[in-house]
């Protein structure tokens, strides 16, 4: 069965610090998709990134970067120079390529960025 | 603007009553989903639909029912059989299972 682990329940950093959110996944499929979402205090989940299992290139988008490593089944998310507006709960998710499978969300990591 | 709408934002229900949560999307997505989120917890899948007139149970379907008569709409009914329905309910849609899901603003249901 597919599974997503986010071992860090809560993280607190001071503004301008860099922070990495860990995500480890389990799947038996060779084709799968990984995602990160942000849930600010308002509650609505915001999509951040999608990565398929055949593309291990790291990605950078502004202050956000993602490190996908199949060898360790990890898809970590780094925020550089964190800001108070980054405070939110961040979810990692996995979708397998086979029929009948769906998204599995990790438990989330609550990030607090202090001014 | 394209997106997903959920109504109402807040909903109060007396014990023993059924209540229906609305979810509408104008993104032309085939797949739609309902999730439940309890305070401080992650998302749990209630039901999902990959196409009109078809839907499957998720991990916690007991006490819930859905319909998918139109591509744009996927209402969720919380029945009196759901023992602990107070939670935050999120609806989502996607092109298909392997693509990113887009979420609505959610409905907070409180049972009095």
């Amino acid at each position: 069965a597919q599974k997503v682990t986010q071992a860090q329940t809560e993280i607190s950093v001071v503004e301008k610090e860099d922070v990495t959110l860990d995500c480890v996944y389990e799947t038996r499929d060779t084709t799968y998709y990984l995602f990160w979402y942000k849930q600010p205090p308002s509650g609505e989940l915001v999509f951040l990134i999608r990565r398929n299992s055949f593309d291990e290139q790291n990605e950078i988008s502004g202050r956000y970067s993602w490190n996908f490593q199949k060898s360790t089944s990890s898809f970590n998310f780094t925020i550089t120079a964190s800001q108070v507006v980054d405070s939110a709960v961040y979810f990692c998710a996995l979708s397998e390529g086979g029929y009948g499978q769906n998204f599995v969300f990790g438990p989330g990591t609550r990030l607090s960025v202090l001014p | 603007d394209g997106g997903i709408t959920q109504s109402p934002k807040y909903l109060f229900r007396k014990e023993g009553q059924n209540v229906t949560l609305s979810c509408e999307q104008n993104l032309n997505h085939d797949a739609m989903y309902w999730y439940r989120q309890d305070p401080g917890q992650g998302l749990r899948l209630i039901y999902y639909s990959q196409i009109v007139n078809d839907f499957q149970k998720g991990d916690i379907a007991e006490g819930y029912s859905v319909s998918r008569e139109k591509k744009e709409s996927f209402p969720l009914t919380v029945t009196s059989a759901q023992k602990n329905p107070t939670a935050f309910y999120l609806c989502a849609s996607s092109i298909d299972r392997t693509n990113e899901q887009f979420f609505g603003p959610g409905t907070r249901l409180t049972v009095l």
Side-chain angles (χ1 to χ4, degrees):
Chain A
Q2 58 192 126
K3 184 178 176 182
V4 176
T5 302
Q6 294 179 256
Q8 304 149 308
T9 305
E10 294 191 34
I11 301 176
S12 289
V13 299
V14 177
E15 208 170 16
K16 297 183 184 177
E17 286 186 5
D18 298 347
V19 57
T20 295
L21 309 182
D22 297 334
C23 173
V24 174
Y25 61 92
E26 291 179 30
T27 177
R28 286 179 287 187
D29 271 15
T30 55
T31 302
Y32 53 90
Y33 305 85
L34 296 162
F35 307 81
W36 275 96
Y37 287 85
K38 174 182 180 180
Q39 186 177 37
S42 63
E44 185 171 344
L45 267 77
V46 177
F47 164 72
L48 296 177
I49 190 171
R50 171 182 183 263
R51 175 66 79 222
N52 74 57
S53 52
F54 299 108
D55 182 2
E56 283 193 76
Q57 274 194 330
N58 292 331
E59 178 147 345
I60 298 174
S61 176
R63 296 184 296 107
Y64 294 172
S65 62
W66 291 268
N67 183 348
F68 177 28
Q69 291 195 342
K70 289 176 76 170
S71 60
T72 56
S73 297
S74 65
F75 186 43
N76 297 337
F77 173 31
T78 297
I79 302 175
T80 303
S82 59
Q83 299 177 2
V84 172
V85 294
D86 296 326
S87 297
V89 180
Y90 290 87
F91 292 96
C92 181
L94 166 69
S95 177
E96 293 178 334
Y99 181 80
Q101 300 301 315
N102 276 287
F103 267 61
V104 170
F105 282 85
T109 296
R110 181 176 297 278
L111 174 65
S112 298
V113 181
L114 308 174
Chain B
D1 281 9
I4 301 175
T5 57
Q6 289 186 244
S7 60
K9 188 172 183 178
Y10 298 95
L11 187 57
F12 298 90
R13 184 194 98 174
K14 293 183 179 179
E15 278 194 38
Q17 287 182 338
N18 291 358
V19 63
T20 297
L21 282 58
S22 168
C23 177
E24 304 277 334
Q25 56 99 359
N26 60 5
L27 299 168
N28 200 32
H29 286 169
D30 284 317
M32 296 188 74
Y33 312 80
W34 274 106
Y35 293 92
R36 169 180 171 142
Q37 186 178 33
D38 293 287
Q41 303 296 312
L43 280 70
R44 292 186 290 169
L45 182 65
I46 305 173
Y47 268 98
Y48 64 98
S49 168
Q50 297 190 54
I51 199 167
V52 175
N53 292 323
D54 183 59
F55 50 83
Q56 282 80 42
K57 293 181 179 180
D59 301 320
I60 55 165
E62 185 175 350
Y64 300 98
S65 65
V66 293
S67 63
R68 186 84 187 277
E69 297 176 1
K70 297 187 300 181
K71 188 174 186 177
E72 305 78 29
S73 178
F74 191 41
L76 173 74
T77 297
V78 184
T79 74
S80 56
Q82 170 51 235
K83 298 304 177 190
N84 185 20
T86 294
F88 185 49
Y89 291 87
L90 286 157
C91 178
S93 72
S94 65
I95 295 172
D96 58 37
R97 285 184 305 98
T98 64
N99 277 275
E100 57 271 22
Q101 296 181 12
F102 293 93
F103 285 79
T107 293
R108 293 193 184 276
L109 173 64
T110 302
V111 174
L112 304 172

